[in-house]
Amino acid sequence: MTSPILHNYEFSTFSEKVRTALGYKGIAWQSVDIPGMPPRPLLTPLTGGYRRAPVLQVGADIYCDTQLIMPTLDRLYPGGKPLLPAASEGLARGLGFAWERQMWIPTIGVLVHYIGEHIPPEFIKDRKEGYLGIDISKDAMAPQFEQHLQFVRAQYAWLKQALTGKAFLFGDALTAADLSIWQTTFLLRKNCPPVVDALLGLQAIIPWYERIAAIGHGSFSALTAEQAFEVARSSEPAPVTHLQPNGDPGGLKAGTAVTVTPEDNARVPVSGTLVAAGEHEVVIHRRDEQAGNLHIHFPRLGFDLVAA
Ligand SMILES: N[C@@H](CCC(=O)N[C@@H](CS)C(=O)NCC(=O)O)C(=O)O
């Protein structure tokens, strides 16, 4: 299996989650440093318009959303330690999804209270118009600060209990759920003053936090966006053998023209032809004039799949 390419940027914490997963699994990877906001002219044709970060590329297969990237790393690189061990897979999937979905905006609310004055106006504008649909400037979020603080603190209260006496949430081995929770915690701890630990009651979970921070990003080399594009152009998508062609629980048949759209943030519909779909994943085919044939993979949970 060739080494995967991660399109990511340094301050993206969803990217940090995947960088850490790659380090944990010991997969040598290639890093394309993308801008923190569009335009991303050599990535957009590969994703069909999906705009969030990170994106994983293996040849002409493009994997969108970390909720799919995690099980995909286990599937494509089965030799290393699993991110979703069978014994905890269902709970780890559900918990990771729920945490990120619930915690993202409140975490940003706490973050901007401390560092909001340093965020450039063009970034605030981009996040409002193209991503979150809300104004995340310090002033705009100030009225909700107390609510966000209470919500975030109450979430960490159960996390503390869940981690008592354990190295990781499900015991001795890390799972993708630990990484989901860790990445939003990383956003706060990396950027906010130390007082935030006490404010949110994080002291008890710091050993768990440090254990994950110590994993690092493993071995990787830099790749330009042009090189990654050329990899896609010169490859054909891998045959889909892990999903049934007509396995869509909603009954959509392979070959149907469809759109796939995130149902939370950056709701850009990606259109293509359905290749296969299952309970956890949707694969569509697109042909880009320059990049050629592509398979774009999305998670099922959190995305709307509809006939075009
Ligand atoms: N559910 C997505 C969320 C990804 C996400 O929201 N990433 C942020 C960066 S940390 C993003 O895309 N921000 C807007 C952008 O970079 O265009 C996932 O798990 O990958």
Side-chain angles (χ1 to χ4, degrees):
M1 180 56 62
T2 53
S3 91
I5 298 168
L6 190 69
H7 298 259
N8 67 113
Y9 54 92
E10 199 271 328
F11 68 88
S12 155
T13 58
F14 280 91
S15 299
E16 182 68 12
K17 171 184 169 184
V18 179
R19 293 187 288 253
T20 305
L22 289 159
Y24 178 71
K25 289 184 74 70
I27 300 168
W29 56 285
Q30 302 177 81
S31 178
V32 178
D33 187 20
I34 61 170
M37 65 176 126
R40 298 164 179 151
L42 291 176
L43 179 56
T44 306
L46 300 185
T47 64
Y50 173 83
R51 77 149 268 182
R52 303 188 307 200
V55 169
L56 187 83
Q57 175 188 351
V58 180
D61 282 83
I62 307 295
Y63 298 90
C64 300
D65 199 295
T66 65
Q67 294 294 336
L68 179 67
I69 293 173
M70 297 283 136
T72 299
L73 291 178
D74 280 351
R75 181 171 66 79
L76 297 181
Y77 305 91
K81 291 176 279 187
L83 296 162
L84 290 160
S88 48
E89 177 171 352
L91 275 178
R93 279 179 183 268
L95 183 57
F97 176 83
W99 178 276
E100 286 175 345
R101 187 54 82 90
Q102 295 262 298
M103 287 289 276
W104 195 228
I105 299 291
T107 298
I108 292 172
V110 174
L111 176 78
V112 300
H113 176 79
Y114 290 101
I115 63 147
E117 62 273 29
H118 305 299
I119 305 178
E122 61 274 18
F123 185 87
I124 306 267
K125 183 172 186 294
D126 170 67
R127 272 18 187 189
K128 180 173 180 194
E129 291 173 4
Y131 175 51
L132 297 170
I134 58 164
D135 183 340
I136 59 161
S137 64
K138 184 171 179 166
D139 285 351
M141 293 200 96
Q144 281 179 286
F145 174 63
E146 272 304 322
Q147 269 170 286
H148 287 149
L149 194 60
Q150 285 188 37
F151 181 81
V152 171
R153 190 191 284 131
Q155 290 276 48
Y156 284 111
W158 71 253
L159 183 71
K160 266 185 289 188
Q161 285 180 312
L163 285 171
T164 303
K166 286 191 231 151
F168 298 104
L169 276 168
F170 293 96
D172 292 338
L174 170 130
T175 70
D178 291 279
L179 289 176
S180 290
I181 297 176
W182 181 81
Q183 67 94 355
T184 68
T185 313
F186 175 81
L187 184 62
L188 293 174
R189 294 202 76 230
K190 183 166 185 272
N191 297 297
C192 297
V195 65
V196 164
D197 282 350
L199 198 65
L200 297 175
L202 298 183
Q203 297 95 329
I205 65 159
I206 288 174
W208 164 87
Y209 178 89
E210 297 294 357
R211 216 169 278 134
I212 299 176
I215 294 169
H217 302 157
S219 142
F220 65 95
S221 52
L223 201 70
T224 64
E226 288 75 14
Q227 288 170 317
F229 194 87
E230 179 53 26
V231 169
R233 201 197 58 74
S234 59
S235 312
E236 282 297 317
V240 178
T241 52
H242 64 293
L243 298 172
Q244 297 301 319
N246 287 322
D248 173 39
L252 283 176
K253 298 282 181 247
T256 306
V258 294
T259 60
V260 185
T261 314
E263 40 97 292
D264 55 345
N265 303 320
R267 295 188 207 159
V268 182
V270 179
S271 40
T273 306
L274 187 65
V275 175
E279 285 181 322
H280 294 304
E281 181 176 349
V282 178
V283 189
I284 65 170
H285 168 264
R286 277 181 67 83
R287 192 172 161 78
D288 178 77
E289 265 185 28
Q290 266 80 48
N293 292 320
L294 301 163
H295 278 176
I296 312 180
H297 304 241
F298 299 93
R300 204 58 207 257
L301 184 58
F303 286 74
D304 292 326
L305 167 66
V306 292

